[in-house]
Amino acid sequence: MHGQMMQLPLLISSLLTHAERHHGEQLVVSRRVEGDVHRQSFRALAARSRRLANALTTLGVQAGERVATLAWNGHRHMELYYAVSGSGAVLHTLNPRLHPDQLTWIADHAEDQVLFFEASFLPLVQAVAPRVKTIRQYVLMTDRAHMPASTGIPNLLCFEDLLAAQDDHFEWPLLDENTASSLCYTSGTTGNPKGVLYSHRSTVLHTLASVSPDALNLSSRDVVLPVVPMFHVNAWGLPYAACMVGARLVLPGPHLDGKSLHELFEAEGVTVSAGVPTVWQGLLAHVETNDLKFSSMRRTIVGGAACPPAMLRAFQERHGVQVLHAWGMTELSPLGTAGVLKGHQLNLPEDQRLAVQAKQGRAVFGVDMKVVAEDGTELPWNGQASGELMVRGPWIVSQYLKGEGGDPLVDGWFPTGDVASIDADGFMQITDRSKDVIKSGGEWIGSIDLENIAMAHPGVAMAACIAAKHAKWDERPLLIVARKPGATLTREELLGFFEGKIAKWWTPDDVVFVDAIPLGATGKMLKMRLREQYGNHLLQAAGEVT
Ligand code: AMP
Protein backbone atom coordinates (compact mmCIF):
# COMPACT_ATOMS: atom_id res chain seq x y z
CA MET A 1 0.00 0.00 0.00
CA HIS A 2 1.39 3.41 -1.00
CA GLY A 3 1.17 6.48 1.14
CA GLN A 4 -1.03 9.22 -0.22
CA MET A 5 1.18 12.26 -0.01
CA MET A 6 2.17 14.64 -2.82
CA GLN A 7 4.99 13.60 -5.10
CA LEU A 8 6.81 16.89 -5.57
CA PRO A 9 10.42 16.44 -6.71
CA LEU A 10 13.23 17.88 -4.58
CA LEU A 11 14.62 20.60 -6.85
CA ILE A 12 17.27 23.28 -6.45
CA SER A 13 14.93 25.83 -8.07
CA SER A 14 12.52 25.33 -5.14
CA LEU A 15 15.18 26.75 -2.78
CA LEU A 16 15.25 29.95 -4.80
CA THR A 17 11.47 30.29 -5.17
CA HIS A 18 11.13 29.69 -1.42
CA ALA A 19 13.70 32.40 -0.69
CA GLU A 20 11.92 34.81 -3.03
CA ARG A 21 8.44 34.21 -1.61
CA HIS A 22 9.28 34.00 2.07
CA HIS A 23 12.48 36.02 2.48
CA GLY A 24 12.24 38.37 -0.50
CA GLU A 25 13.82 41.31 1.35
CA GLN A 26 16.77 39.33 2.69
CA LEU A 27 20.12 40.37 1.20
CA VAL A 28 23.01 38.87 -0.68
CA VAL A 29 25.96 41.19 -0.12
CA SER A 30 28.95 40.74 -2.43
CA ARG A 31 32.37 42.31 -2.44
CA ARG A 32 33.10 42.20 -6.13
CA VAL A 33 36.17 41.93 -8.30
CA GLU A 34 35.29 45.44 -9.56
CA GLY A 35 36.05 46.72 -6.04
CA ASP A 36 32.56 47.73 -4.89
CA VAL A 37 30.24 46.15 -2.32
CA HIS A 38 27.07 45.09 -4.11
CA ARG A 39 23.73 44.44 -2.39
CA GLN A 40 20.70 42.71 -3.77
CA SER A 41 17.62 41.13 -2.28
CA PHE A 42 16.69 37.48 -2.67
CA ARG A 43 13.84 38.80 -4.84
CA ALA A 44 16.36 40.41 -7.20
CA LEU A 45 18.55 37.29 -7.06
CA ALA A 46 15.61 35.18 -8.20
CA ALA A 47 14.66 37.60 -11.00
CA ARG A 48 18.24 37.79 -12.28
CA SER A 49 18.57 33.99 -12.11
CA ARG A 50 15.49 33.69 -14.34
CA ARG A 51 16.96 36.20 -16.82
CA LEU A 52 20.15 34.15 -16.81
CA ALA A 53 18.17 30.95 -17.43
CA ASN A 54 16.66 32.63 -20.50
CA ALA A 55 20.15 33.68 -21.59
CA LEU A 56 21.37 30.07 -21.30
CA THR A 57 18.55 29.05 -23.62
CA THR A 58 19.60 31.63 -26.19
CA LEU A 59 23.20 30.37 -25.90
CA GLY A 60 21.85 26.96 -26.88
CA VAL A 61 22.65 25.21 -23.59
CA GLN A 62 20.80 21.90 -23.56
CA ALA A 63 19.56 19.84 -20.61
CA GLY A 64 22.43 17.92 -19.02
CA GLU A 65 25.16 20.00 -20.69
CA ARG A 66 27.95 21.25 -18.47
CA VAL A 67 28.33 24.99 -17.89
CA ALA A 68 31.61 25.81 -16.18
CA THR A 69 32.58 28.69 -13.90
CA LEU A 70 35.88 30.22 -12.80
CA ALA A 71 34.70 32.66 -10.17
CA TRP A 72 35.00 33.87 -6.60
CA ASN A 73 32.16 33.98 -4.11
CA GLY A 74 29.76 36.62 -5.42
CA HIS A 75 26.18 37.21 -6.52
CA ARG A 76 26.78 36.48 -10.21
CA HIS A 77 28.25 33.12 -9.29
CA MET A 78 25.21 32.47 -7.12
CA GLU A 79 22.90 33.40 -10.01
CA LEU A 80 24.72 30.79 -12.09
CA TYR A 81 24.25 28.21 -9.30
CA TYR A 82 20.49 28.60 -9.62
CA ALA A 83 20.09 29.38 -13.33
CA VAL A 84 22.26 26.53 -14.62
CA SER A 85 21.01 23.77 -12.30
CA GLY A 86 17.46 25.11 -12.15
CA SER A 87 17.11 25.02 -15.92
CA GLY A 88 18.30 21.40 -16.13
CA ALA A 89 21.95 21.91 -17.11
CA VAL A 90 24.93 20.99 -14.91
CA LEU A 91 27.02 23.60 -13.10
CA HIS A 92 30.71 22.73 -13.13
CA THR A 93 32.69 24.88 -10.72
CA LEU A 94 36.34 24.83 -11.82
CA ASN A 95 39.04 25.43 -9.23
CA PRO A 96 41.17 28.41 -10.38
CA ARG A 97 44.00 27.35 -8.08
CA LEU A 98 44.80 24.47 -10.40
CA HIS A 99 47.47 24.58 -13.05
CA PRO A 100 46.21 25.44 -16.58
CA ASP A 101 47.21 21.92 -17.72
CA GLN A 102 44.98 20.37 -15.06
CA LEU A 103 42.13 22.77 -15.82
CA THR A 104 42.31 21.94 -19.51
CA TRP A 105 42.25 18.24 -18.71
CA ILE A 106 39.28 18.61 -16.36
CA ALA A 107 37.23 20.85 -18.69
CA ASP A 108 37.79 18.40 -21.55
CA HIS A 109 36.94 15.43 -19.38
CA ALA A 110 33.73 17.12 -18.20
CA GLU A 111 32.97 18.25 -21.79
CA ASP A 112 32.19 21.77 -20.61
CA GLN A 113 30.31 23.79 -23.25
CA VAL A 114 30.23 27.33 -21.89
CA LEU A 115 32.65 28.99 -19.45
CA PHE A 116 31.60 31.92 -17.27
CA PHE A 117 34.61 33.59 -15.64
CA GLU A 118 35.65 36.64 -13.66
CA ALA A 119 38.24 39.18 -14.77
CA SER A 120 40.78 37.94 -12.18
CA PHE A 121 41.01 34.70 -14.15
CA LEU A 122 41.45 36.20 -17.61
CA PRO A 123 45.14 35.14 -17.85
CA LEU A 124 44.16 31.61 -16.82
CA VAL A 125 41.39 31.49 -19.43
CA GLN A 126 43.79 32.87 -22.05
CA ALA A 127 46.13 29.96 -21.24
CA VAL A 128 43.38 27.33 -21.33
CA ALA A 129 41.19 28.56 -24.23
CA PRO A 130 43.53 27.72 -27.13
CA ARG A 131 43.88 24.13 -25.92
CA VAL A 132 40.54 23.11 -24.46
CA LYS A 133 38.38 21.19 -26.95
CA THR A 134 34.73 21.46 -25.95
CA ILE A 135 34.15 25.00 -24.68
CA ARG A 136 32.37 26.89 -27.46
CA GLN A 137 31.40 30.10 -25.64
CA TYR A 138 33.09 32.33 -23.04
CA VAL A 139 31.27 34.87 -20.88
CA LEU A 140 33.04 37.45 -18.70
CA MET A 141 31.14 37.99 -15.44
CA THR A 142 31.09 41.78 -15.39
CA ASP A 143 29.32 44.79 -16.93
CA ARG A 144 30.04 46.61 -20.19
CA ALA A 145 32.09 49.33 -18.47
CA HIS A 146 34.54 46.73 -17.13
CA MET A 147 34.96 44.68 -20.32
CA PRO A 148 38.62 44.71 -21.38
CA ALA A 149 39.36 46.05 -24.87
CA SER A 150 41.07 43.00 -26.30
CA THR A 151 41.42 39.59 -24.72
CA GLY A 152 42.31 37.26 -27.55
CA ILE A 153 39.26 35.18 -26.64
CA PRO A 154 36.98 34.89 -29.67
CA ASN A 155 33.40 36.11 -29.40
CA LEU A 156 33.66 36.94 -25.68
CA LEU A 157 30.28 37.91 -24.21
CA CYS A 158 29.51 40.27 -21.33
CA PHE A 159 27.43 38.84 -18.46
CA GLU A 160 25.39 41.99 -17.79
CA ASP A 161 24.68 42.51 -21.52
CA LEU A 162 23.39 38.94 -21.69
CA LEU A 163 21.04 39.56 -18.77
CA ALA A 164 19.88 42.93 -20.02
CA ALA A 165 18.73 41.34 -23.28
CA GLN A 166 16.35 38.96 -21.46
CA ASP A 167 13.21 39.32 -19.42
CA ASP A 168 12.74 37.76 -16.02
CA HIS A 169 9.88 35.41 -16.88
CA PHE A 170 11.06 31.83 -16.82
CA GLU A 171 9.23 28.74 -15.59
CA TRP A 172 11.65 26.46 -13.76
CA PRO A 173 11.15 23.02 -15.33
CA LEU A 174 9.67 20.28 -13.15
CA LEU A 175 12.69 17.99 -13.48
CA ASP A 176 13.09 14.46 -12.22
CA GLU A 177 14.76 14.99 -8.83
CA ASN A 178 17.54 12.59 -9.80
CA THR A 179 18.62 14.89 -12.65
CA ALA A 180 22.30 15.88 -12.42
CA SER A 181 22.67 19.41 -11.05
CA SER A 182 26.36 20.16 -10.46
CA LEU A 183 29.80 18.73 -10.81
CA CYS A 184 32.98 19.01 -8.73
CA TYR A 185 36.31 17.31 -9.30
CA THR A 186 38.23 15.92 -6.33
CA SER A 187 41.52 17.65 -5.61
CA GLY A 188 43.39 14.83 -7.30
CA THR A 189 46.27 14.32 -4.91
CA THR A 190 46.39 10.73 -6.17
CA GLY A 191 46.03 10.02 -9.87
CA ASN A 192 43.83 12.09 -12.16
CA PRO A 193 41.05 14.22 -10.65
CA LYS A 194 37.67 12.50 -10.62
CA GLY A 195 34.27 14.09 -11.15
CA VAL A 196 31.54 13.86 -8.53
CA LEU A 197 28.13 14.51 -10.08
CA TYR A 198 25.50 15.76 -7.63
CA SER A 199 21.76 15.58 -8.25
CA HIS A 200 18.90 17.91 -7.32
CA ARG A 201 17.69 15.35 -4.81
CA SER A 202 21.11 14.84 -3.18
CA THR A 203 21.64 18.61 -2.98
CA VAL A 204 18.26 19.41 -1.40
CA LEU A 205 18.56 16.55 1.12
CA HIS A 206 22.11 17.65 1.98
CA THR A 207 20.85 21.21 2.48
CA LEU A 208 17.99 20.08 4.75
CA ALA A 209 20.41 18.11 6.90
CA SER A 210 23.12 20.74 7.02
CA VAL A 211 20.94 23.59 8.33
CA SER A 212 19.64 21.54 11.28
CA PRO A 213 20.57 22.44 14.88
CA ASP A 214 23.02 19.58 15.43
CA ALA A 215 24.72 20.33 12.12
CA LEU A 216 25.49 23.88 10.93
CA ASN A 217 22.50 25.29 12.82
CA LEU A 218 21.50 28.06 10.40
CA SER A 219 18.43 30.28 10.53
CA SER A 220 16.94 33.45 9.08
CA ARG A 221 18.56 35.37 11.93
CA ASP A 222 22.06 34.51 10.73
CA VAL A 223 24.41 36.51 8.57
CA VAL A 224 26.58 33.89 6.89
CA LEU A 225 29.94 34.53 5.27
CA PRO A 226 31.35 31.51 3.43
CA VAL A 227 35.10 31.99 3.12
CA VAL A 228 35.19 28.51 1.64
CA PRO A 229 35.11 29.15 -2.10
CA MET A 230 32.10 28.41 -4.26
CA PHE A 231 34.52 26.34 -6.39
CA HIS A 232 35.24 24.03 -3.44
CA VAL A 233 32.34 21.59 -3.02
CA ASN A 234 29.73 24.30 -3.60
CA ALA A 235 31.02 26.39 -0.69
CA TRP A 236 29.97 23.49 1.54
CA GLY A 237 26.39 24.01 0.35
CA LEU A 238 25.98 27.43 1.99
CA PRO A 239 24.55 29.18 -1.12
CA TYR A 240 21.72 26.62 -1.00
CA ALA A 241 21.37 26.67 2.79
CA ALA A 242 21.04 30.48 2.90
CA CYS A 243 18.06 30.32 0.54
CA MET A 244 16.47 27.47 2.44
CA VAL A 245 16.50 29.31 5.79
CA GLY A 246 16.47 32.90 4.54
CA ALA A 247 19.83 33.83 6.07
CA ARG A 248 21.66 36.91 4.85
CA LEU A 249 24.63 35.91 2.76
CA VAL A 250 27.87 37.89 2.61
CA LEU A 251 30.13 36.85 -0.26
CA PRO A 252 33.74 38.00 0.14
CA GLY A 253 35.02 38.01 -3.45
CA PRO A 254 38.74 37.70 -4.09
CA HIS A 255 40.28 39.13 -0.90
CA LEU A 256 40.52 36.44 1.77
CA ASP A 257 43.35 37.86 3.87
CA GLY A 258 42.80 38.47 7.59
CA LYS A 259 42.39 42.24 7.25
CA SER A 260 39.84 42.12 4.41
CA LEU A 261 37.81 39.42 6.11
CA HIS A 262 37.78 41.11 9.49
CA GLU A 263 36.63 44.39 7.96
CA LEU A 264 33.80 42.60 6.16
CA PHE A 265 32.77 40.65 9.28
CA GLU A 266 32.50 43.89 11.22
CA ALA A 267 30.88 46.02 8.50
CA GLU A 268 28.17 43.46 7.69
CA GLY A 269 27.53 42.08 11.18
CA VAL A 270 28.48 38.53 10.18
CA THR A 271 27.38 35.93 12.76
CA VAL A 272 28.60 32.69 11.16
CA SER A 273 31.52 31.95 8.90
CA ALA A 274 33.04 28.84 7.34
CA GLY A 275 36.45 27.93 6.00
CA VAL A 276 39.63 25.85 6.21
CA PRO A 277 42.10 26.27 9.10
CA THR A 278 44.67 28.08 6.92
CA VAL A 279 42.23 30.95 6.44
CA TRP A 280 41.53 31.21 10.17
CA GLN A 281 45.23 31.26 10.94
CA GLY A 282 45.54 34.42 8.82
CA LEU A 283 42.49 35.99 10.40
CA LEU A 284 43.53 35.22 13.98
CA ALA A 285 47.03 36.54 13.36
CA HIS A 286 45.61 39.82 12.03
CA VAL A 287 43.14 40.20 14.89
CA GLU A 288 45.72 39.44 17.55
CA THR A 289 48.52 41.57 16.10
CA ASN A 290 46.20 44.57 15.87
CA ASP A 291 44.35 43.95 19.12
CA LEU A 292 40.96 43.72 17.38
CA LYS A 293 37.69 42.10 18.39
CA PHE A 294 34.86 40.20 16.76
CA SER A 295 31.78 42.20 17.66
CA SER A 296 29.14 40.13 15.83
CA MET A 297 30.76 36.76 15.04
CA ARG A 298 29.29 33.99 17.15
CA ARG A 299 30.35 30.83 15.36
CA THR A 300 32.83 29.62 12.84
CA ILE A 301 32.72 26.36 10.94
CA VAL A 302 36.16 24.83 10.51
CA GLY A 303 36.62 21.92 8.12
CA GLY A 304 38.48 20.62 5.10
CA ALA A 305 41.44 19.82 7.33
CA ALA A 306 41.81 19.15 11.04
CA CYS A 307 41.20 22.14 13.30
CA PRO A 308 44.26 22.40 15.57
CA PRO A 309 43.33 22.53 19.28
CA ALA A 310 45.35 25.75 19.59
CA MET A 311 42.95 27.35 17.09
CA LEU A 312 39.91 26.11 19.00
CA ARG A 313 41.24 27.70 22.14
CA ALA A 314 42.13 30.97 20.44
CA PHE A 315 38.64 31.41 18.97
CA GLN A 316 36.68 30.29 21.98
CA GLU A 317 38.73 31.48 24.93
CA ARG A 318 40.21 34.69 23.58
CA HIS A 319 37.49 35.83 21.19
CA GLY A 320 34.22 34.27 22.35
CA VAL A 321 33.67 32.68 18.93
CA GLN A 322 32.34 29.10 19.10
CA VAL A 323 34.10 26.68 16.78
CA LEU A 324 32.12 24.03 14.93
CA HIS A 325 34.58 21.45 13.70
CA ALA A 326 33.13 19.57 10.74
CA TRP A 327 34.36 16.87 8.41
CA GLY A 328 33.40 16.14 4.87
CA MET A 329 34.59 15.32 1.39
CA THR A 330 33.82 16.29 -2.19
CA GLU A 331 32.29 12.82 -2.46
CA LEU A 332 29.90 13.70 0.41
CA SER A 333 28.51 16.98 -0.98
CA PRO A 334 30.48 17.62 1.44
CA LEU A 335 28.98 17.35 4.93
CA GLY A 336 29.49 14.11 6.87
CA THR A 337 29.96 15.00 10.53
CA ALA A 338 29.64 18.05 12.77
CA GLY A 339 31.19 18.49 16.20
CA VAL A 340 28.15 19.67 18.15
CA LEU A 341 28.35 18.70 21.83
CA LYS A 342 25.60 16.52 23.26
CA GLY A 343 23.70 17.70 26.35
CA HIS A 344 25.69 15.65 28.84
CA GLN A 345 28.97 17.00 27.43
CA LEU A 346 28.15 20.64 28.10
CA ASN A 347 29.18 20.39 31.73
CA LEU A 348 32.44 18.57 31.15
CA PRO A 349 35.60 20.25 32.44
CA GLU A 350 36.88 22.66 29.82
CA ASP A 351 39.84 20.55 28.72
CA GLN A 352 37.60 17.56 28.11
CA ARG A 353 35.07 19.66 26.23
CA LEU A 354 37.82 21.01 23.99
CA ALA A 355 39.08 17.48 23.41
CA VAL A 356 35.61 16.47 22.18
CA GLN A 357 35.39 19.54 19.95
CA ALA A 358 38.78 18.79 18.45
CA LYS A 359 37.31 15.56 17.11
CA GLN A 360 35.65 15.75 13.69
CA GLY A 361 32.14 15.33 15.08
CA ARG A 362 29.03 13.18 14.90
CA ALA A 363 27.32 11.90 11.77
CA VAL A 364 24.49 14.15 10.64
CA PHE A 365 21.24 12.33 9.89
CA GLY A 366 21.51 10.88 6.39
CA VAL A 367 25.13 9.83 6.80
CA ASP A 368 25.79 6.40 8.23
CA MET A 369 29.37 5.63 9.17
CA LYS A 370 31.58 2.88 10.53
CA VAL A 371 35.27 2.16 10.94
CA VAL A 372 36.67 -1.14 9.71
CA ALA A 373 39.84 -3.14 10.19
CA GLU A 374 42.01 -4.16 7.22
CA ASP A 375 39.97 -7.34 6.78
CA GLY A 376 36.75 -5.29 6.59
CA THR A 377 35.35 -6.21 10.02
CA GLU A 378 33.65 -3.37 11.86
CA LEU A 379 35.59 -1.96 14.83
CA PRO A 380 34.00 -1.05 18.18
CA TRP A 381 32.97 2.53 19.02
CA ASN A 382 35.35 2.92 21.95
CA GLY A 383 37.33 5.96 20.86
CA GLN A 384 40.44 3.79 20.59
CA ALA A 385 40.12 1.30 17.77
CA SER A 386 41.04 3.03 14.56
CA GLY A 387 40.53 1.86 11.02
CA GLU A 388 39.27 3.05 7.66
CA LEU A 389 36.20 5.25 7.82
CA MET A 390 33.35 4.05 5.58
CA VAL A 391 30.19 6.04 4.86
CA ARG A 392 26.91 5.69 3.01
CA GLY A 393 23.93 7.91 2.44
CA PRO A 394 21.79 9.70 -0.17
CA TRP A 395 24.29 12.54 -0.78
CA ILE A 396 27.34 10.30 -1.05
CA VAL A 397 28.91 9.40 -4.39
CA SER A 398 27.96 6.05 -5.91
CA GLN A 399 30.35 6.27 -8.86
CA TYR A 400 32.64 8.87 -10.41
CA LEU A 401 31.85 10.65 -13.67
CA LYS A 402 32.27 8.31 -16.66
CA GLY A 403 32.89 5.43 -14.26
CA GLU A 404 36.52 6.54 -13.71
CA GLY A 405 38.38 4.34 -11.26
CA GLY A 406 35.77 1.57 -11.41
CA ASP A 407 33.23 0.90 -8.67
CA PRO A 408 34.34 2.91 -5.64
CA LEU A 409 32.00 1.17 -3.19
CA VAL A 410 32.69 -1.80 -0.95
CA ASP A 411 29.47 -3.65 -0.06
CA GLY A 412 27.52 -0.43 -0.60
CA TRP A 413 29.85 1.69 1.57
CA PHE A 414 32.19 4.42 0.34
CA PRO A 415 35.74 4.04 1.70
CA THR A 416 36.88 7.54 2.61
CA GLY A 417 40.64 6.93 2.74
CA ASP A 418 40.55 8.50 6.19
CA VAL A 419 41.58 6.50 9.21
CA ALA A 420 39.44 7.24 12.25
CA SER A 421 38.04 6.08 15.55
CA ILE A 422 34.49 6.58 16.81
CA ASP A 423 33.75 7.00 20.51
CA ALA A 424 30.75 5.84 22.51
CA ASP A 425 29.01 9.19 21.91
CA GLY A 426 29.42 8.74 18.15
CA PHE A 427 32.16 11.37 17.80
CA MET A 428 34.48 10.46 14.96
CA GLN A 429 38.12 11.40 15.16
CA ILE A 430 40.42 11.27 12.18
CA THR A 431 43.79 9.91 13.18
CA ASP A 432 45.28 9.73 9.73
CA ARG A 433 44.64 8.90 6.10
CA SER A 434 45.08 5.40 4.74
CA LYS A 435 47.43 6.75 2.10
CA ASP A 436 49.26 8.79 4.66
CA VAL A 437 49.61 6.74 7.83
CA ILE A 438 52.61 5.98 9.98
CA LYS A 439 52.78 2.37 11.09
CA SER A 440 55.62 1.88 13.49
CA GLY A 441 56.35 -1.67 14.60
CA GLY A 442 52.81 -2.69 13.70
CA GLU A 443 51.23 0.19 15.70
CA TRP A 444 49.55 3.26 14.31
CA ILE A 445 50.95 6.72 15.01
CA GLY A 446 48.65 9.64 14.24
CA SER A 447 50.56 12.15 12.16
CA ILE A 448 47.81 14.75 12.62
CA ASP A 449 48.25 14.66 16.42
CA LEU A 450 51.97 15.26 16.04
CA GLU A 451 51.37 18.14 13.64
CA ASN A 452 48.88 19.71 16.03
CA ILE A 453 51.41 19.66 18.84
CA ALA A 454 54.17 21.06 16.63
CA MET A 455 51.85 23.79 15.36
CA ALA A 456 51.01 24.82 18.91
CA HIS A 457 54.71 25.75 19.38
CA PRO A 458 55.07 29.53 19.09
CA GLY A 459 58.06 29.21 16.73
CA VAL A 460 56.26 27.03 14.18
CA ALA A 461 54.41 28.46 11.18
CA MET A 462 53.48 25.12 9.66
CA ALA A 463 54.39 21.51 10.31
CA ALA A 464 53.85 18.32 8.36
CA CYS A 465 54.44 14.88 9.73
CA ILE A 466 55.23 12.10 7.31
CA ALA A 467 56.01 8.41 7.51
CA ALA A 468 59.74 8.03 6.92
CA LYS A 469 61.17 4.58 6.21
CA HIS A 470 63.03 3.04 9.15
CA ALA A 471 65.24 -0.03 9.24
CA LYS A 472 63.89 -1.40 12.52
CA TRP A 473 60.40 -0.08 12.90
CA ASP A 474 59.47 -0.01 9.22
CA GLU A 475 58.21 3.56 9.51
CA ARG A 476 58.85 6.38 11.95
CA PRO A 477 57.40 9.91 12.13
CA LEU A 478 59.46 12.70 10.60
CA LEU A 479 58.56 16.35 11.06
CA ILE A 480 58.97 18.85 8.25
CA VAL A 481 58.72 22.32 9.74
CA ALA A 482 58.54 25.88 8.45
CA ARG A 483 59.53 28.28 11.23
CA LYS A 484 57.70 31.55 11.85
CA PRO A 485 59.63 34.55 10.48
CA GLY A 486 62.42 35.43 12.92
CA ALA A 487 62.04 32.23 14.99
CA THR A 488 65.26 30.42 15.85
CA LEU A 489 63.68 27.17 16.97
CA THR A 490 66.04 24.17 17.01
CA ARG A 491 65.41 20.45 16.52
CA GLU A 492 66.08 19.76 20.24
CA GLU A 493 63.69 22.50 21.42
CA LEU A 494 60.89 21.25 19.21
CA LEU A 495 61.31 17.58 20.12
CA GLY A 496 61.46 18.57 23.81
CA PHE A 497 58.09 20.29 23.33
CA PHE A 498 56.49 16.87 22.73
CA GLU A 499 57.58 15.54 26.12
CA GLY A 500 54.63 14.56 28.27
CA LYS A 501 52.09 15.34 25.55
CA ILE A 502 52.23 11.94 23.88
CA ALA A 503 53.50 8.41 24.48
CA LYS A 504 57.27 8.64 24.29
CA TRP A 505 57.51 6.23 21.37
CA TRP A 506 55.35 8.57 19.32
CA THR A 507 58.03 11.30 19.46
CA PRO A 508 59.20 12.14 15.92
CA ASP A 509 62.65 10.81 15.11
CA ASP A 510 63.88 13.97 13.45
CA VAL A 511 62.97 17.44 12.24
CA VAL A 512 63.77 18.90 8.85
CA PHE A 513 63.46 22.68 8.66
CA VAL A 514 62.28 24.09 5.33
CA ASP A 515 61.40 27.57 4.05
CA ALA A 516 57.82 26.61 3.19
CA ILE A 517 55.63 23.51 3.19
CA PRO A 518 54.27 22.84 -0.33
CA LEU A 519 50.49 23.36 -0.52
CA GLY A 520 47.98 21.99 -3.03
CA ALA A 521 45.29 23.93 -4.86
CA THR A 522 42.88 23.74 -1.93
CA GLY A 523 45.46 24.85 0.62
CA LYS A 524 46.23 21.39 1.96
CA MET A 525 49.77 20.25 2.61
CA LEU A 526 51.14 18.10 -0.21
CA LYS A 527 52.34 15.30 1.99
CA MET A 528 52.84 12.96 -0.91
CA ARG A 529 55.43 15.33 -2.32
CA LEU A 530 57.10 15.59 1.09
CA ARG A 531 57.16 11.82 1.36
CA GLU A 532 58.81 11.57 -2.04
CA GLN A 533 61.42 14.09 -0.96
CA TYR A 534 62.07 13.04 2.62
CA GLY A 535 60.83 9.43 2.82
CA ASN A 536 64.42 8.13 2.99
CA HIS A 537 65.69 10.82 5.34
CA LEU A 538 66.05 8.56 8.38
CA LEU A 539 67.69 5.77 6.40
CA GLN A 540 70.15 8.27 4.96
CA ALA A 541 70.90 9.70 8.39
CA ALA A 542 71.62 6.18 9.69
CA GLY A 543 73.84 5.45 6.71
CA GLU A 544 71.43 2.74 5.53
CA VAL A 545 71.06 4.30 2.09
CA THR A 546 72.82 7.10 0.30
P1 AMP B 1 38.09 17.27 -0.14
O1 AMP B 1 37.35 16.28 -0.93
O2 AMP B 1 39.13 18.01 -0.92
O3 AMP B 1 37.18 18.15 0.63
O4 AMP B 1 38.94 16.49 0.92
C1 AMP B 1 38.33 15.62 1.82
C2 AMP B 1 39.35 15.15 2.79
O5 AMP B 1 39.81 16.24 3.57
C3 AMP B 1 38.83 14.16 3.78
O6 AMP B 1 38.82 12.84 3.27
C4 AMP B 1 39.81 14.33 4.91
O7 AMP B 1 41.00 13.61 4.66
C5 AMP B 1 40.11 15.81 4.87
N1 AMP B 1 39.28 16.52 5.84
C6 AMP B 1 38.14 17.17 5.64
N2 AMP B 1 37.68 17.71 6.79
C7 AMP B 1 38.56 17.37 7.75
C8 AMP B 1 38.67 17.60 9.16
N3 AMP B 1 37.78 18.32 9.82
N4 AMP B 1 39.72 17.08 9.79
C9 AMP B 1 40.67 16.35 9.15
N5 AMP B 1 40.62 16.11 7.83
C10 AMP B 1 39.59 16.61 7.14
Side-chain angles (χ1 to χ4, degrees), residues 186-187 232-233 302-307 325-331 360 416 418 430 433 448 522 524:
T186 57
S187 51
H232 193 194
V233 216
V302 182
C307 175
H325 190 191
W327 167 88
M329 299 178 74
T330 306
E331 287 90 337
Q360 274 70 15
T416 63
D418 287 321
I430 294 188
R433 296 186 190 150
I448 293 174
T522 55
K524 288 179 195 169

